[in-house]
Amino acid sequence: MNRDWVDKDFYKVLGIGRDADQDQIKRAYRKLAQKHHPDANQGDEKAEDKFKDISEAYATLSDPEQRKEYDEVRRMVDSGGFRGFGGSGPYAGGQRVRVEDLSDLFGGIGGFGDLFGRSRTRTTSPQRGADATAESHLTFEEAVRGVDTAVTVHGEAACSRCHGSGAEPGTSVTVCPTCRGSGTVAQNQGVFSFASPCPQCRGSGMLIEQACVQCHGTGTEVRSRTVKVRVPAGVKPGGTIRLKGKGSPGRNGGPPGDLLIKTHVAHHPVFGRRGDDLTVRLPITYSEAVLGAKVEVPTLNGSVTLKVPPGTPGGKTFRIRGKGIDRGRGKTGDLLATVDVVVPQKVNRDAKKLLEELRAFEPENPRANLRV
């Protein structure tokens, strides 16, 4: 909300009634915007000002929440609620009222503390720093087992010379005597007392004896920095690791933001992944599939023996318990071994002869049921 809400009737600006619906508001705006657009009125300052008023009116009335707040303000304007607060009560007799007091008096109107162009929260209040981002490239084993590594973060950081104080090392930082650290001073204008940024400390609440020559008193600088990170076991490709308090520094004593690290995981030549389970393709011979066999299966920690029963078809998956990803939560994933029956592309004369003899002992045609 801003002071224009008191001074301007947005309904009149758009030429609509106060009961207009959203479609009527949109149509009125489009018609007037087309007429007064600066591109269609080159050099016409009045048309440009009119276009700004139209845009401001539409921005407020097209938002249901803002429109509701605006209507509340206009009702008080129309009823004389801003003319001296006459009558009885704590605001009677033209008593001066601070802008902060209006928030208490009209607490039912959202955002009223910003009626005259300022946020209800002072700009000098502690503000949390922005979140920073970085990327980490991991091998498959590092992602599965976890690793201590480091990432490079480029962006706003505490000044490396003054360590965020804004003052040149060896000089002092004191509380501003004018605003006593609040960052704002009151300016009396008729019935209202407006809070504005302190002219001595420029809203910071503190006075720096000598500004840091590197950050010029801001306490921050844009640079690259290295942050150590513990990648937990089982982190997923494309997942995000959040490091609390490792982001951009806060303002006015506010906490720093977080660091969000996106993980990239390289492919493994043998293993795949399905959640906390590892997967592997296990090639076996024709005879092993028919007769059964004990075969060695690789894991990330050596190998294990798997008993393949006779008559195992290609594509069958065996679950080997506890050989997957251990995320340290009391439950470990499994290893899923899927068999592939290897068919040789070439056989020698003796093997071919044996296979031809075997054909005589094979069961009936397995494709018999495919006949139509």
Side-chain angles (χ1 to χ4, degrees):
M1 201 187 303
N2 53 54
R3 188 162 191 164
D4 285 347
W5 289 23
V6 175
D7 297 336
K8 297 179 181 179
D9 187 335
F10 290 155
Y11 292 100
K12 287 185 178 180
V13 171
L14 294 181
I16 57 177
R18 294 196 175 188
D19 57 349
D21 58 26
Q22 288 297 317
D23 288 338
Q24 291 173 313
I25 293 173
K26 184 180 296 184
R27 287 197 299 269
Y29 166 72
R30 288 178 176 176
K31 180 179 179 180
L32 292 172
Q34 185 177 12
K35 178 180 178 181
H36 297 283
H37 197 282
D39 291 343
N41 299 272
Q42 296 288 342
D44 189 341
E45 294 184 0
K46 291 184 178 180
E48 183 176 350
D49 292 340
K50 182 68 174 178
F51 181 76
K52 290 180 180 179
D53 290 342
I54 294 167
S55 299
E56 182 183 14
Y58 178 70
T60 300
L61 299 183
S62 63
D63 185 315
E65 290 298 324
Q66 287 197 49
R67 182 181 182 182
K68 180 180 178 181
E69 295 175 8
Y70 173 76
D71 287 345
E72 290 287 345
V73 173
R74 294 303 303 178
R75 273 194 284 271
M76 287 194 294
V77 172
D78 294 342
S79 63
F82 287 99
R83 293 195 292 270
F85 294 93
S88 60
Y91 300 98
Q95 179 179 344
R96 180 168 286 112
V97 183
R98 289 181 57 85
V99 169
E100 289 86 350
D101 297 331
L102 292 174
S103 297
D104 299 327
L105 181 62
F106 304 112
I109 305 175
F112 195 89
D114 190 31
L115 179 60
F116 297 102
R118 288 181 300 276
S119 170
R120 292 181 67 179
T121 302
R122 293 178 179 176
T123 57
T124 55
S125 63
Q127 299 177 23
R128 179 182 180 276
D131 291 338
T133 59
E135 295 186 348
S136 178
H137 295 268
L138 309 170
T139 66
F140 189 88
E141 289 88 346
E142 288 173 339
V144 168
R145 292 173 171 155
V147 66
D148 290 321
T149 185
V151 296
T152 299
V153 184
H154 182 77
E156 195 175 54
C159 175
S160 56
R161 180 175 178 83
C162 67
H163 304 292
S165 70
E168 182 69 14
T171 63
S172 63
V173 180
T174 58
V175 176
C176 175
T178 300
C179 65
R180 299 180 181 180
S182 68
T184 60
V185 293
Q187 294 183 350
N188 300 328
Q189 295 183 13
V191 73
F192 292 106
S193 175
F194 296 94
S196 61
C198 174
Q200 185 172 2
C201 65
R202 297 183 179 180
S204 68
M206 307 297 290
L207 292 179
I208 297 174
E209 180 182 349
Q210 181 180 346
C212 172
V213 297
Q214 185 159 310
C215 68
H216 307 289
T218 63
T220 63
E221 62 180 343
V222 177
R223 59 181 171 88
S224 294
R225 55 192 172 98
T226 300
V227 178
K228 295 181 178 180
V229 54
R230 169 63 183 171
V231 177
V235 65
K236 296 180 180 179
T240 300
I241 300 172
R242 180 183 291 270
L243 297 185
K244 294 286 187 181
K246 297 297 183 179
S248 300
R251 302 288 186 183
N252 304 317
D258 299 337
L259 175 59
L260 308 178
I261 305 172
K262 185 176 181 179
T263 57
H264 300 274
V265 181
H267 292 288
H268 195 279
V270 175
F271 299 104
R273 181 174 175 180
R274 190 182 302 166
D276 288 342
D277 294 334
L278 295 178
T279 62
V280 64
R281 304 296 300 192
L282 182 66
I284 61 174
T285 65
Y286 172 75
S287 60
E288 288 173 333
V290 174
L291 302 176
K294 292 182 179 180
V295 297
E296 294 296 309
V297 182
T299 73
L300 287 176
N301 299 295
S303 61
V304 295
T305 301
L306 173 67
K307 183 177 181 180
V308 178
T312 296
K316 182 177 177 59
T317 299
F318 295 92
R319 183 179 292 273
I320 304 174
R321 301 286 181 182
K323 295 301 180 180
I325 299 173
D326 182 2
R327 303 183 69 174
R329 299 177 181 177
K331 182 180 179 181
T332 304
D334 302 329
L335 175 62
L336 307 177
T338 302
V339 298
D340 291 325
V341 179
V342 178
V343 178
Q345 298 298 310
K346 295 182 180 180
V347 295
N348 59 32
R349 183 179 301 175
D350 292 336
K352 184 176 181 180
K353 183 178 180 181
L354 290 173
L355 288 171
E356 289 174 347
E357 292 177 359
L358 176 63
R359 183 181 295 173
F361 296 96
E362 288 180 346
E364 61 184 20
N365 186 354
R367 296 175 297 280
N369 293 331
L370 297 180
R371 294 175 182 175
V372 294

